[in-house]
Amino acid sequence: MRRLGGGTLATLAALACLTVPARAEVASAPVTTAPPARQAMFAGGSAYPRLIRLADSGSANGTILASVNAVRNNSGVGIIEASTDGGRSFHQIATIADPTAANGAVSAGGSLYELPSPVGTMPAGTLLWVVGTGYGLRTGARHVAIRLWDSRDHGRTWRYVTDIARSGTPFPYWEPSLSVAADGQLVAFYSDETDKTYHDQKLVQARSADGVRWTDTRETVVSDDWYVRPGMATVIRLPDGGYFMTYEVCNNDLVHTCASYFRTSTDGWNYGDPTDLGTVIRTVDGQYARGTPDVAWSPGPGRDGRILAITEMMADSDGSLAADDGTVLMANDNEGSGAWYQIPAPIPLGNADAGMCRNFAPAILPSVDGKSMLEAADDFAADGVCTTYFASGPLAPPASGAPAGGAVPAVSSGR
């Protein structure tokens, strides 16, 4: 969770505005010849959108699923939406009502994942929903849990599986995500605020051979400086079998605050020295991606595909917000090596800031042919409610003169 201080209170204040009606569904939009302008994902306040396309689910392959966090009747819920027309329209297919998020306990930071291979008794194609619950409870009763749910019918019904982690203190965990390592084990990453003696926040990981019993919890990214806050990890697997992780690091550099970083792994478990903060996602002229990153791989344009990183903000080399802040995302054609370049975002949200709504934690999903991309992002609706929108846009080749992936050396510091 990215904050200089008071992160829990700021988050709960935002989540309290995410009330949704008893039925939160939208009618399918008519198919048109051109991508529509942005549309609301569903009727109600929401946050933390995530997007996946089913690829290991048999006849359901190609279906796009989206998830958001919302509040219903003072309880945190996960809303699952589906699109069968390539992201032109979405309709709600499920509500995940976790009892540990009920009666004001609230949930946040949910994430969707489709198993590419069996894990324990869960076959390939099983959908997983991982979320933090318990943030809204009073300090003495607050013990935030990272909770895992699964679905065997492509997201229509959900079953609680286990707690991946449960805080033994009032200090929380945040924003979990999942990946399957090369050895077939399920890996969970999450931001950890429970080690307050030594760290305000660190990024940690744990793994499981069956999805039920979780072991080997260890640090993924950590700093000796108590104030530095790594977190919000997302992992994808590249076509060559390697793993690519994005995350943010806040407070290590008060000029280039909350820069988005990446690191890689050959096996999906070992990501290098945890005390090495990683490599900043930035352009050849020093503009850098800032806050709440999400990452995806696209098969095009270009022969070798493209890594896309979407973030809340874009900043100039001096740390000030860039003129194109909130309207672009980062791209790299060389598996992250060298300089990145910018391409237009499907949902331009100029003047994005560090608030808990406008462009906070956006999500990106490229098309299967690498020619377009779908974005989900939050913005304030006309009535002031924080609402998740979606829209598609082209994935054009880089502009003439844009740097090749290896044009400049990677930089491994936020300073």
Side-chain angles (χ1 to χ4, degrees), residues 15-299:
L15 289 171
C17 299
L18 304 185
T19 300
V20 301
R23 287 184 59 84
E25 300 185 10
V26 296
S28 298
V31 175
T32 60
T33 57
R38 76 178 197 179
Q39 303 175 74
M41 182 73 75
F42 76 106
S46 56
Y48 289 107
R50 283 295 173 257
L51 296 167
I52 64 171
R53 180 183 291 105
L54 301 186
D56 296 285
S57 296
S59 61
N61 283 351
T63 300
I64 297 173
L65 294 184
S67 66
V68 294
N69 282 101
V71 176
R72 174 179 292 166
N73 300 325
N74 199 34
S75 299
V77 295
I79 302 294
I80 307 298
E81 300 265 336
S83 173
T84 56
D85 56 9
R88 291 182 177 275
S89 65
F90 280 87
H91 60 281
Q92 186 178 335
I93 61 171
T95 299
I96 305 174
D98 193 316
T100 64
N103 301 317
V106 187
S107 58
S111 185
L112 273 175
Y113 186 71
E114 181 191 27
L115 286 181
S117 55
V119 173
T121 61
M122 299 183 292
T126 298
L127 293 180
L128 301 177
W129 162 256
V130 60
V131 68
T133 66
Y135 301 102
L137 299 176
R138 60 181 174 80
T139 301
R142 185 189 310 128
H143 295 285
V144 169
I146 300 297
R147 307 260 290 175
L148 183 67
W149 292 68
D150 77 357
S151 172
R152 310 290 178 94
D153 58 3
H154 317 309
R156 296 191 174 276
T157 60
W158 292 84
R159 176 186 68 102
Y160 166 72
V161 178
T162 192
D163 285 6
I164 295 175
R166 177 173 288 274
S167 172
T169 75
F171 300 108
Y173 302 121
W174 296 101
E175 290 128 353
S177 63
L178 300 169
S179 177
V180 169
D183 65 0
Q185 294 197 67
L186 186 61
V187 182
F189 303 91
Y190 50 96
S191 309
D192 180 358
E193 285 194 27
T194 65
D195 189 16
K196 287 296 186 185
T197 301
Y198 302 102
H199 309 285
D200 189 26
Q201 180 173 285
K202 57 187 178 180
L203 183 59
V204 301
Q205 63 191 72
R207 60 184 172 184
S208 174
D210 59 7
V212 178
R213 291 171 290 275
W214 290 82
T215 63
D216 302 328
T217 302
R218 72 183 196 184
E219 295 168 343
T220 312
V221 186
V222 67
S223 173
D224 291 333
D225 184 336
W226 185 90
Y227 293 95
V228 174
R229 294 172 61 89
M232 299 191 80
T234 303
V235 174
I236 58 171
R237 195 166 192 183
L238 300 175
D240 66 0
Y243 295 78
F244 191 94
M245 174 193 292
T246 57
Y247 51 97
E248 64 177 19
V249 179
C250 295
N251 302 353
N252 67 304
D253 180 341
L254 296 184
V255 175
H256 305 95
T257 183
C258 289
S260 295
Y261 287 69
F262 76 88
R263 61 178 58 205
T264 61
S265 171
T266 58
D267 63 5
W269 176 250
N270 297 292
Y271 284 85
D273 180 0
T275 63
D276 179 355
L277 293 182
T279 304
V280 177
I281 298 173
R282 62 173 142 200
T283 67
V284 68
D285 61 359
Q287 278 198 333
Y288 67 96
R290 180 175 163 184
T292 70
D294 184 42
V295 66
W297 182 85
S298 172

